[in-house]
Amino acid sequence: MPMDYSVGAKLLTIKDVCEIVRVSRSSVYDFLNQRSPRYKPDFPRPVRIGSGARGCVRWRLAEVEAWVASLQAG
């Protein structure tokens, strides 16, 4: 899937991702952790905004929606 780097791309917080995917915060991080038995290599990767202690991570809405749709398609 091509990455959407457009200025208007909607970015989600971890709370938003949890609500859309309907899992807990720890589940999202398990999906991202290669050492976790719950690791999902196809789960959307967050983007880092800023750096250091003031930085944060966000997820692209389009990527999260596409991932959920791929689960429903089956």
Side-chain angles (χ1 to χ4, degrees):
M1 173 185 336
M3 297 293 181
D4 181 6
Y5 295 107
S6 62
V7 174
K10 172 107 170 111
L11 297 175
L12 305 172
T13 64
I14 183 70
K15 182 179 177 183
D16 298 329
V17 173
C18 292
E19 288 175 8
I20 292 170
V21 179
R22 297 181 187 232
V23 297
S24 68
R25 179 184 184 100
S26 61
S27 292
V28 169
Y29 287 114
D30 278 347
F31 294 169
L32 296 168
N33 182 355
Q34 292 181 356
R35 294 184 182 145
S36 171
R38 298 173 64 199
Y39 174 64
K40 299 192 180 300
D42 59 337
F43 191 77
R45 297 289 178 247
V47 293
R48 182 161 296 281
I49 300 172
S51 62
R54 303 194 115 203
C56 60
V57 294
R58 297 288 186 265
W59 283 258
R60 292 178 185 89
L61 173 61
E63 292 178 7
V64 174
E65 288 176 333
W67 186 80
V68 170
S70 74
L71 294 179
Q72 294 170 345

